[in-house]
Amino acid sequence: MGIVLIWGQAVAAQQVVIAALGDSLTQGYGLPAEQGFVPQLEAWLAARGSDVRLINAGVSGDTTAGGLARVGWTLTPEVGGMIVALGGNDLLRGLAPAQARANIDGILQAAQAADVEVLLIGMEAPGNYGPDYKSEFDAIYPELAEEYGTQFVDSFFAGLTEGDAPADPSQLRGFLQADGIHPNAEGVTRIVEGIGPEVLDLIARIRAD
């Protein structure tokens, strides 16, 4: 527990609790528990002086609909912030973008009602569904982030690329497991380094509330 100064007096700062609502990427698929996204992110934050506890609310195979179904009992009274990283399984199943938008909208509504700060992580559709599908799906995250005033990161995998350069599959291979989808331990480390600063900002917003 950290210490803050208020009018010259030392007061214990409450530990921040953040739920990471997601799918297998959040859950840590294929990795020892300590090498998954949530444990690595928690350690990264602790190393930078943040007294924070992360709840792993990732379920492998979950869609945005699954996230919406779980958000009510994920947002317990202790939770002050939430990382939302969903949509990959919607894409794998070719589900309608309008359906994904409605589900994420519902998740953000629930967070707003619970007075919980959110970091929304975006997802981009592949081109094989056609330009209309891709355009409609890709717009979901930035538009809803703006509507609800949430923090926004455009991609879970942003830490695996240099700057704004498009991902080179041959370069990414070393950071992925054999399935070519899920990050290995080193990939998670890079992802955490990319997302971590945004989570520090999320913590600051929670404390400001």
Side-chain angles (χ1 to χ4, degrees):
M1 182 172 290
I3 301 294
V4 295
L5 289 176
I6 299 179
W7 294 102
Q9 294 181 329
V11 179
Q14 283 292 100
Q15 183 183 61
V16 170
V17 178
I18 297 174
L21 183 70
D23 49 33
S24 56
L25 296 175
T26 304
Q27 182 265 335
Y29 175 88
L31 296 171
E34 69 277 5
Q35 294 180 2
F37 172 71
V38 169
Q40 285 209 44
L41 177 57
E42 190 172 74
W44 188 95
L45 295 168
R48 285 151 184 82
S50 290
D51 185 13
V52 60
R53 177 165 66 89
L54 297 185
I55 297 172
N56 192 338
V59 174
S60 290
D62 226 358
T63 61
T64 55
L68 178 58
R70 294 189 291 115
V71 71
W73 52 263
T74 298
L75 292 173
T76 58
E78 65 180 351
V79 173
M82 186 166 60
I83 300 168
V84 179
L86 287 161
N89 290 304
D90 295 63
L91 290 174
L92 288 174
R93 300 180 188 187
L95 300 180
Q99 182 178 343
R101 177 183 286 269
N103 293 332
I104 295 173
D105 185 88
I107 291 169
L108 296 180
Q109 282 185 37
Q112 187 177 71
D115 196 24
V116 166
E117 295 286 347
V118 173
L119 170 60
L120 180 62
I121 299 179
M123 182 73 59
E124 292 188 358
N128 56 299
Y129 291 125
D132 291 342
Y133 183 104
K134 179 173 174 56
S135 176
E136 187 177 352
F137 193 96
D138 292 358
I140 293 170
Y141 299 87
E143 289 180 0
L144 287 179
E146 182 175 4
E147 180 180 340
Y148 283 90
T150 70
Q151 282 181 254
F152 173 65
V153 175
D154 60 4
S155 172
F156 188 84
F157 296 100
L160 299 185
T161 61
E162 295 293 335
D164 296 326
D168 181 342
S170 65
Q171 293 178 342
L172 294 183
R173 195 172 297 124
F175 301 119
L176 300 176
Q177 297 179 42
D179 61 10
I181 297 173
H182 296 92
N184 57 26
E186 175 60 25
V188 172
T189 298
R190 296 288 191 98
I191 288 167
V192 164
E193 289 171 352
I195 292 175
E198 293 289 342
V199 182
L200 287 175
D201 288 345
L202 177 66
I203 293 168
R205 290 180 62 163
I206 295 167
R207 292 205 182 281
D209 286 344

